[in-house]
Amino acid sequence: MPEDLVACPECDLLQRIPSLQPGGTACCPRCGRKLATCKPGSLERTTALAVAASIAFLFANVEPLMGLSVAGRESSTTIAGGAWQMWMQGEKITALLIALFAVIAPALEIGFLLAILISVRRPPAPRWVGTLLRWVEIAGSWSMAEVMLLGILVSLVKIAALARVVPGVGIFAVGGLILLLAAMSSSFDPREAWSRVRWVNGEWPQRVLPSGGADAAEAGR
């Protein structure tokens, strides 16, 4: 089995990672930083989680988060609706931050990951998958739906004495989305996806040489 040559992100020690047993972990011998973990069925499991996360994301942004009833007046809103209301009231920076952290970043993270998982099912995957593998990490670092949910819960506690609060489908969808995003990130194995990406020079990945490719390569030497 081929070995992966990697640099430790903590101490920059260049080293080879041998083939790992299912569930096995490789750590840096100098600083102890975890370098790789073998996750059997990672791509299939992450695909299922990403599809579930996309459904939860849809409900989280379409269904109302909560309903408020006070003095005979009722009101409800969604995440995007709340951001729009803040924009209209002059809180434009806050509205943009909510839209970026709670809507755009999670949508990009799920969309990029689904595109990657679909593309690598039939190796070799096109080289643009490598670009998406970098972008999905950036989008994940900006996705902060859990911060928004925490803010909503704090607001519920504060206004519970002033109005009748009815939790909507959206808030449960946000809770599910947070759990699914965490499970999706934990289940995904980027090394498995990278091993299927076509090289810059057009060569096939070493582990997915077409039938007869290895023999042809040996014969050509």
Side-chain angles (χ1 to χ4, degrees):
M1 292 293 290
E3 296 179 336
D4 294 332
L5 185 64
V6 300
C8 175
E10 195 71 31
C11 66
D12 286 338
L13 177 64
L14 193 64
Q15 52 203 302
R16 294 185 181 278
I17 299 178
S19 299
L20 300 174
Q21 298 295 326
T25 300
C27 297
C28 176
R30 182 159 67 182
C31 67
R33 169 70 181 270
K34 183 186 293 184
L35 299 177
T37 302
C38 182
K39 303 175 180 177
S42 166
L43 299 182
E44 293 77 7
R45 186 168 53 252
T46 308
T47 302
L49 290 170
V51 172
S54 64
I55 296 173
F57 178 82
L58 179 64
F59 278 95
N61 286 276
V62 173
E63 295 293 333
L65 293 173
M66 69 182 85
L68 295 177
S69 177
V70 58
R73 301 180 61 181
E74 297 184 354
S75 177
S76 62
T77 186
T78 61
I79 299 176
W84 175 247
Q85 289 297 325
M86 297 190 75
W87 178 275
M88 296 300 292
Q89 294 173 6
E91 300 289 342
K92 296 186 178 180
I93 295 179
T94 305
L96 288 175
L97 291 178
I98 292 175
L100 173 62
F101 296 148
V103 181
I104 298 175
L108 292 178
E109 182 182 5
I110 297 171
F112 290 159
L113 196 55
L114 278 175
I116 292 169
L117 294 168
I118 293 173
S119 301
V120 301
R121 290 184 65 85
R122 286 189 175 184
R127 287 192 294 111
W128 53 261
V129 171
T131 303
L132 290 188
L133 280 165
R134 299 184 183 93
W135 287 358
V136 73
E137 186 175 353
I138 297 173
S141 65
W142 286 94
S143 177
M144 301 181 185
E146 65 277 8
V147 177
M148 188 198 65
L149 181 61
L150 181 61
I152 293 174
L153 293 177
V154 172
S155 301
L156 284 176
V157 173
K158 289 186 175 181
I159 64 177
L162 305 175
R164 187 170 67 89
V165 180
V166 180
V169 175
I171 197 167
F172 295 105
V174 172
L177 175 63
I178 293 170
L179 295 177
L180 288 169
L181 288 177
M184 194 175 69
S185 177
S186 175
S187 172
F188 183 52
D189 186 1
R191 293 175 64 245
E192 180 66 22
W194 273 112
S195 69
R196 302 183 180 208
V197 176
R198 186 188 294 273
W199 290 27
V200 175
N201 59 8
E203 291 183 358
W204 286 62
Q206 295 179 7
R207 297 177 184 175
V208 291
L209 284 172
S211 178
D215 296 338
E218 290 293 336
R221 292 177 180 174

